[in-house]
Amino acid sequence: MAQNEKLAQLSEAGVAVWLDDLSRDRIRSGNLQALVDEHSVVGVTTNPTIFAAAISGSDSYDDQLHAMAVRKVSVEEALRTITAADVRDACDLLAPVAERQPGDGRVSLEVAPGLAHDTDATAAEAAHLWWLVDRPNLFIKIPATEEGLAAITTSIARGISVNVTLIFSPERYRAVMDSYLSGLEQRLAEDDGADLSQIASVASFFVSRVDTEIDKRLDKAGADPSLKGKAALANAQLAYQAYEEVFSSDRWKALEAKGARPQRPLWASTGVKNPDYPDTLYVSELIAPGTVNTMPEKTLMAYADHGSPGTPVQKTYDEAAAVMKAVADAGVDLDDVFRVIEDEGVQKFVDSWDELTASVRSELEDKA
């Protein structure tokens, strides 16, 4: 089958197309393979919300749940086993992609979100999940909370590939890139002959939620309505400028000479929340070399149908800085925005995890 032309062109422009969804049904039905073959999909991201929807909406998990119920497995262990099985199967499906283009062909699995503010527990859970799934094309998702940053460094130093999630501001993104470089440096300090080329990382910079929060505050401040729907893109564009700066630095070049690979920016939360905005907005306007865009299926299909490239990110920096200044001048406290949406982001995943736990608990009781 031929690849969809619009998505193939997006890939050629340097944007790796990933799917922000996974379920056992999607793997077993051949749907995921079809998206790889026909829609340029070269990676998969998951999160607790995605698994909550997958498990509660399918009977594909019944046999496995029954086997665990009979063995009286704890809910926590059941959850890890189920999610690891899906991620492992998806890793196997994407292995040929990983062979062909290192850095892609990846599937992400998140540490339990309740650990987001506990450095040691996050690092321990990351190591356990890496061992449990046991696939080289796995990414362990670690949130970019203050406490998560040190766990990222520790995990990278242990040779674990990491998808850093819930990044909302360019400032925190700089701290994330620093954590990645520190992890690589630590690995070299412990073993000068370490093969850094086997370690991959992406930094998931969230987009649509920034507009949702800032638009609300612009309305409240009675600001110029033409400012709405611009901050999320401007924020992400300035993040890419920071990426270009860090990954052209002497510090990076020293690591690159040892075989290290750059940590790519990944645009996440790219489904449009406001129906007044074009449904491909957070894809068309975030085209830049060496990036990833993980999309819900709806957004992926919308771009395949009617997407068209906007202004390349590298030509937007001055305008992006002006937009963020205008938003701040209109009375929006950006530091507070980023703090609120980080807390909400962590809480949303904790709520989904709790929902998933409750759902698996009741399934285990039913199947026992």
Side-chain angles (χ1 to χ4, degrees):
M1 286 296 293
Q3 292 283 8
N4 171 276
E5 196 180 338
K6 292 181 185 299
L7 291 166
Q9 285 168 349
L10 189 62
S11 308
E12 281 157 24
V15 182
V17 176
W18 289 12
L19 176 72
D20 192 26
D21 192 53
L22 185 65
S23 68
R24 196 157 292 182
D25 291 343
R26 204 183 264 289
I27 298 169
R28 287 182 177 173
S29 67
N31 170 270
L32 182 57
Q33 186 63 57
L35 290 173
V36 172
D37 295 340
E38 297 162 31
H39 285 82
S40 298
V41 168
V42 292
V44 166
T45 49
T46 71
N47 61 45
T49 309
I50 283 169
F51 276 122
I55 293 168
S56 61
S58 169
D59 54 12
S60 296
Y61 298 90
D62 289 1
D63 290 351
Q64 192 178 22
L65 282 161
H66 177 70
M68 288 190 286
V70 173
R71 287 170 44 227
K72 300 198 168 19
V73 163
S74 72
V75 179
E76 290 73 23
E77 192 187 334
L79 255 177
R80 280 207 188 94
T81 305
I82 289 168
T83 54
D86 280 359
V87 167
R88 190 183 300 117
D89 287 346
C91 281
D92 290 344
L93 189 153
L94 286 165
V97 177
E99 284 287 310
R100 196 170 64 239
Q101 41 195 105
D104 286 317
R106 298 266 168 176
V107 186
S108 296
L109 176 60
E110 189 150 346
V111 296
L115 308 176
H117 297 294
D118 184 333
T119 302
D120 292 346
T122 294
E125 168 101 337
H128 177 71
L129 293 174
W130 183 254
W131 167 83
L132 182 63
V133 175
D134 192 26
R135 291 295 183 272
N137 55 330
L138 172 70
F139 269 139
I140 301 297
K141 268 177 121 170
I142 297 178
T145 53
E146 294 281 1
E147 298 83 357
L149 295 170
I152 292 157
T153 297
T154 301
S155 301
I156 294 290
R158 287 175 175 163
I160 294 169
S161 291
V162 175
N163 173 346
V164 184
T165 188
L166 294 174
I167 309 170
F168 296 100
S169 71
E171 292 69 33
R172 181 60 56 85
Y173 178 36
R174 284 179 183 275
V176 165
M177 291 187 280
D178 179 69
S179 299
Y180 175 62
L181 300 185
S182 298
L184 293 172
E185 287 161 349
Q186 209 169 300
R187 188 153 178 85
L188 279 179
E190 287 160 15
D191 173 9
D192 192 42
D195 182 4
L196 299 185
S197 72
Q198 296 307 303
I199 302 171
S201 185
V202 290
S204 294
F205 199 89
F206 279 57
V207 187
S208 66
R209 294 184 198 180
V210 174
D211 269 343
T212 304
E213 183 64 26
I214 287 180
D215 284 358
K216 196 167 67 183
R217 295 186 186 212
L218 287 168
D219 278 342
K220 205 170 167 188
D224 178 352
S226 71
L227 272 176
K228 288 169 66 177
K230 290 186 176 171
L233 288 172
N235 194 46
Q237 288 155 347
L238 295 175
Y240 190 81
Q241 186 180 28
Y243 158 78
E244 287 195 311
E245 191 185 303
V246 170
F247 286 96
S248 58
S249 66
D250 290 343
R251 181 185 179 193
W252 165 247
K253 283 175 183 160
L255 289 163
E256 191 178 33
K258 297 275 191 177
R261 292 196 293 204
Q263 178 188 56
R264 290 184 296 169
L266 178 152
W267 311 124
S269 174
T270 54
V272 170
K273 306 272 195 289
N274 185 332
D276 296 339
Y277 300 157
D279 55 2
T280 58
L281 182 68
Y282 303 131
V283 182
S284 299
E285 300 298 331
L286 290 174
I287 297 177
T291 56
V292 178
N293 194 314
T294 190
M295 308 175 212
E297 187 173 27
K298 192 176 160 195
T299 306
L300 181 82
M301 291 308 177
Y303 196 89
D305 179 63
H306 53 263
S308 61
T311 309
V313 168
Q314 288 151 308
K315 295 188 172 148
T316 61
Y317 300 148
D318 291 347
E319 194 185 331
V323 165
M324 295 314 280
K325 183 180 184 307
V327 167
D329 289 348
V332 174
D333 179 344
L334 290 171
D335 289 340
D336 187 62
V337 165
F338 297 136
R339 191 163 45 247
V340 165
I341 55 182
E342 178 183 303
D343 289 347
E344 279 178 0
V346 171
Q347 192 55 49
K348 181 171 176 252
F349 284 161
V350 167
D351 292 346
S352 295
W353 190 259
D354 291 346
E355 183 191 316
L356 185 53
T357 305
S359 155
V360 169
R361 180 178 286 114
S362 70
E363 294 269 355
L364 286 172
E365 285 162 2
D366 289 348
K367 305 279 186 288

